[in-house]
Amino acid sequence: MQKGFQLFCIVCVIFVAIGCTTSKSAAKIAFSGDVIMDGQGVGNAVVTLVPSAPGQEPVVMTTSPRGSFMFVAGPNGGGCPAGDYRVTVTSSAAGAIPEKYADVETSGLSVSVRSGMDSVRFELVK
């Protein structure tokens, strides 16, 4: 079970790297964030940033066990393309996150990725 989870995390990191490097012309932004529910970090949640601009790919990341995530700019990190995103948050654990957060139309979550931003906090409500 542990090896399967580790493989899942590695695959998610690869998708993040690919998702954050799809557009060569877009500015790449470094930022961090947290996913919180009931005052606690939501660990191992899959956060998907769906771009508002047509022609861009979604950006996918997985939170740490404490509910945090980070995009790192630079030659190995790539950062995240600047822009406006609608956000979904899901989990492989049944019932861990309310279903409304799995769809951009019902999640109510969004973020504007801009130069100079520090962190983002996504507060989920049961």
Side-chain angles (χ1 to χ4, degrees):
M1 183 72 175
Q2 183 72 358
K3 288 190 184 275
F5 177 73
Q6 289 172 341
L7 180 60
F8 173 76
C9 289
I10 290 169
V11 169
C12 287
V13 167
I14 291 169
F15 279 118
V16 168
I18 292 169
C20 285
T21 59
T22 56
S23 175
K24 301 292 183 202
S25 62
K28 307 296 184 183
I29 309 299
F31 71 97
S32 62
D34 297 288
V35 176
I36 307 294
M37 186 166 56
D38 294 333
Q40 301 291 319
V42 180
N44 307 311
V46 178
V47 180
T48 304
L49 279 59
V50 180
S52 297
Q56 292 183 343
E57 295 294 320
V59 179
V60 180
M61 69 195 97
T62 301
T63 63
S64 73
R66 294 186 179 192
S68 61
F69 59 86
M70 183 183 313
F71 281 111
V72 180
N76 295 325
C80 183
D84 295 324
Y85 295 86
R86 295 188 297 167
V87 180
T88 65
V89 182
T90 58
S91 174
S92 59
I97 297 173
E99 283 293 316
K100 73 178 189 174
Y101 294 107
D103 187 328
V104 293
E105 300 299 327
T106 58
S107 76
L109 303 173
S110 64
V111 63
S112 290
V113 177
R114 302 281 181 256
S115 179
M117 67 186 291
D118 271 338
S119 65
V120 175
R121 184 176 174 115
F122 297 119
E123 296 253 1
L124 309 184
V125 178
K126 283 188 179 179

